[in-house]
Amino acid sequence: MKYFNQLLFIALLFSSICYSQITNNNELFLVKTARFIHSQQYAFNTLKLNFPGQKAAIENVELAFNKNFGTAIETINTKTKNLLGNKYESFIENLNNELNKSSITDIKNRLHEPIESPVLEILLAYKYENNPVDEFLNNFVNIYSVNTNSTKIDLSIKVPVSWKELDGDSPNVLKKFRNEYGTGNVTITLSTKNLSKLVSFINNDNMSAKKEFQKTSFKNHKIVPVQNENIARINQYDRLNSKPNSIQKRHITEQLYLSENNILEIKCIVNSTTGSDLDLQYQRINPLYKSIVKSIRIIKQPEKSSLLTSVKKKL
């Protein structure tokens, strides 16, 4: 409810100056983050003017903020100007009028408050826009626990802070995440699947299963039994869905062995409106996807010693 009220407040705040421009949450979060950036700069300028003896300390905080999010700040401001068009000046004027009513104490406290969602996530998303894996490597991650009730195995997975956990859309979906705080074009889904058909296909004993897999026309299909913290990677594939005049999609999937009849499937879907942009997005996201998959760890398992033995026999 609190999250809904925040969105409603922001929508009402902007409705008088840019109602026609803001059409989705992605744009709403962008403008909210632009408000935060401008408010921070307003605070820096106001405090330096009112506390000349502390000017050097305030400038250090300002430099640190700009160093951390400089690229993101520039991109967000540019995108907001393009979004609001000739309403941008009114947007800044109304914001300044609102900030002018704040007390010096409130302005000073602003610099000590943590950056709230979704502003922090949007800042990080744009900071690492060209190299998403760097957000992961710089340890801006959240660790999620994953409970697979069918196997009684508890897992953990690391996902960048700028991503948001979404509700699953089927009973088999364990976790679902999307970039840019749930408004981006990349989705990663963790789900469980029955292993019997895949094992039959691998052993070439079940012709119907083989035909079913052949119909999918997987690209670069291969079997890779690799140990990762007592998890065997048994399958990975890459599939491109390209149809004229439609959203382009790239599917990247890895399947990890969990138990006698269950696998964990980690599917990444990249969406784009053009094939060239899809290729670029794929190149950017693939290293991050691989890092997320490698971060999966078993927290709890019923029979740790026998987990890999069964799959090695089947393979």
Side-chain angles (χ1 to χ4, degrees), residues 34-224:
R35 278 178 51 85
F36 172 82
I37 292 170
H38 184 80
S39 300
Q40 288 295 98
Q41 192 57 61
Y42 178 95
F44 292 135
N45 294 337
T46 301
L47 293 175
K48 284 187 288 185
L49 181 64
N50 285 271
F51 301 97
Q54 301 177 29
K55 184 177 180 180
I58 297 169
E59 286 180 341
N60 286 336
V61 177
E62 181 181 12
L63 287 171
F65 177 74
N66 290 330
K67 182 179 179 180
N68 284 333
F69 301 112
T71 304
I73 290 170
E74 183 178 346
T75 302
I76 291 168
N77 285 337
T78 299
K79 284 181 174 289
T80 304
K81 289 178 182 178
N82 292 336
L83 173 65
L84 301 184
N86 57 12
K87 302 291 181 66
Y88 181 76
E89 295 300 326
S90 298
F91 163 68
I92 294 298
E93 182 180 352
N94 289 349
L95 179 54
N96 284 335
N97 290 336
E98 178 186 332
L99 292 170
N100 287 335
K101 298 176 183 178
S102 303
S103 66
I104 291 294
T105 301
D106 290 338
I107 293 173
K108 194 171 184 178
N109 289 339
R110 172 184 292 275
L111 299 185
H112 300 286
E113 295 175 352
I115 304 176
E116 296 183 350
S117 296
V119 171
L120 175 61
E121 289 81 357
I122 299 302
L123 282 169
L124 289 172
Y126 280 105
K127 176 179 180 178
Y128 296 108
E129 183 179 21
N130 294 325
N131 296 289
V133 71
D134 286 348
E135 181 179 357
F136 188 97
L137 297 177
N138 290 336
N139 206 34
F140 287 104
V141 296
N142 288 322
I143 300 177
Y144 295 87
S145 60
V146 183
N147 178 259
T148 60
N149 292 325
S150 60
T151 62
K152 297 182 180 180
I153 296 174
D154 292 338
L155 309 171
S156 69
I157 185 172
K158 293 181 180 179
V159 179
V161 170
S162 64
W163 291 54
K164 183 180 180 182
E165 182 180 3
L166 306 176
D167 292 333
D169 48 15
S170 76
N172 292 334
V173 172
L174 305 175
K175 292 286 181 181
K176 188 174 183 179
F177 306 95
R178 185 171 294 157
N179 66 331
E180 294 185 27
Y181 199 63
T183 66
N185 59 1
V186 183
T187 304
I188 290 180
T189 304
L190 277 71
S191 58
T192 53
K193 286 195 172 184
N194 189 279
L195 185 61
S196 57
K197 285 188 177 181
L198 181 60
V199 171
S200 297
F201 169 65
I202 294 171
N203 291 334
N204 201 22
D205 291 330
N206 189 322
M207 292 305 295
S208 62
K210 183 176 182 180
K211 289 180 180 179
E212 181 179 338
F213 273 80
Q214 286 175 337
K215 286 180 183 178
T216 59
S217 299
F218 293 137
K219 179 183 179 183
N220 299 330
H221 185 281
K222 55 185 176 179
I223 306 302
V224 188

Side-chain angles (χ1 to χ4, degrees), residues 226-258:
V226 178
Q227 183 173 345
N228 174 18
E229 291 292 311
N230 293 321
I231 302 178
R233 183 182 297 114
I234 59 176
N235 196 31
Q236 57 185 22
Y237 50 82
D238 186 336
R239 181 162 59 90
L240 176 64
N241 176 23
S242 180
K243 296 181 180 179
N245 302 319
S246 67
I247 296 296
Q248 308 291 300
K249 293 185 179 182
R250 188 76 172 261
H251 299 250
I252 323 167
T253 305
E254 292 221 13
Q255 294 172 324
L256 309 180
Y257 181 83
L258 287 179

Side-chain angles (χ1 to χ4, degrees), residues 13-24:
L13 181 65
F14 295 139
S15 61
S16 62
I17 62 171
C18 53
Y19 176 82
S20 61
Q21 286 90 339
I22 297 179
T23 59
N24 54 48

